[in-house]
Amino acid sequence: MKIAVFPGSFDPITKGHQDIIERALPLFDKIIVAIGTNSAKKYYFSLEQRTNFIELTFNNNPKIEVIAYEGLTIDFCKLVNANYILRGLRNSADYMYENNIAQMNKAMDNNIETIYMPTIPELAAINSTIVRDILINGGNVEQFVPSPIKNKLSV
Ligand code: ADP
């Protein structure tokens, strides 16, 4: 069984994340959307909310699972029997950053391959940090987030 882990903060999930997951779905039997929880990091939405937003987006698709994890992504991959880490690439800055991580992960565990999916240009500017800034300042983020959650984000 081909299992991929798509790790991230998803604070909140955006149309960019949604598109990567949907386009990668035919390549794998299962995609585990892995929500990183780092105790040193402050999140805008709670783990429960972030999980709920992803579940609403994919409407209980049996090929998609949402699981929170702490620690190294490769350790989580081993725990769930995943041999692939999926990452979205928006631009060259993403590439530089992702490539270092991918190479170090590969050095730590040669059995786990990182797969990059390029963003479609229409979604390449979308970024969770900016979505949060817009929300904090009372703006409308409807066009940037998956439609099933567009009315659920105001706090
Ligand atoms: P992290 O905190 O690890 O950066 P994110 O939740 O921001 O987590 O992103 C998780 C993954 O989704 C990363 O691979 C990132 O490159 C990708 N991603 C984020 N935004 C987009 C987007 N607009 N289009 C495609 N991929 C994206």
Side-chain angles (χ1 to χ4, degrees):
M1 180 135 133
K2 277 203 180 82
I3 304 176
V5 161
F6 184 51
S9 312
F10 306 104
D11 191 22
I13 184 169
T14 66
K15 274 190 178 165
H17 298 127
Q18 178 188 21
D19 182 62
I20 297 293
I21 294 168
E22 284 173 354
R23 284 161 56 216
L25 215 46
L27 303 174
F28 301 103
D29 298 302
K30 189 198 268 188
I31 294 181
I32 298 175
V33 183
I35 308 182
T37 53
N38 177 344
S39 46
K41 210 169 153 180
K42 278 284 280 164
Y43 298 100
Y44 184 69
F45 291 104
S46 68
L47 177 60
E48 199 188 348
Q49 286 173 309
R50 287 181 284 149
T51 306
N52 187 242
F53 295 153
I54 301 169
E55 284 173 351
L56 284 170
T57 298
F58 298 107
N59 192 23
N60 300 321
N61 181 327
K63 284 182 74 179
I64 299 174
E65 224 177 295
V66 188
I67 306 180
Y69 78 106
E70 241 176 306
L72 291 179
T73 305
I74 52 162
D75 288 339
F76 177 71
C77 287
K78 278 179 245 181
L79 190 73
V80 295
N81 282 317
N83 288 103
Y84 303 93
I85 296 173
L86 175 66
R87 296 292 283 178
L89 285 188
R90 285 166 288 192
N91 48 44
S92 56
D94 269 359
Y95 173 77
M96 306 276 270
Y97 176 74
E98 294 296 339
N99 210 35
N100 277 352
I101 299 178
Q103 288 179 5
M104 290 178 75
N105 279 341
K106 178 88 172 149
M108 289 189 286
D109 191 329
N110 195 33
N111 295 316
I112 299 174
E113 296 290 354
T114 298
I115 309 290
Y116 301 136
M117 177 75 79
T119 309
I120 58 168
E122 296 86 335
L123 302 178
I126 302 178
N127 165 324
S128 294
T129 308
I130 302 176
V131 168
R132 288 196 300 276
D133 280 345
I134 297 171
L135 284 170
I136 290 167
N137 292 292
N140 185 332
V141 296
E142 277 189 15
Q143 60 180 314
F144 307 123
V145 300
S147 16
I149 68 163
K150 67 182 183 202
N151 296 319
K152 316 229 171 237
L153 294 178
S154 42
V155 275

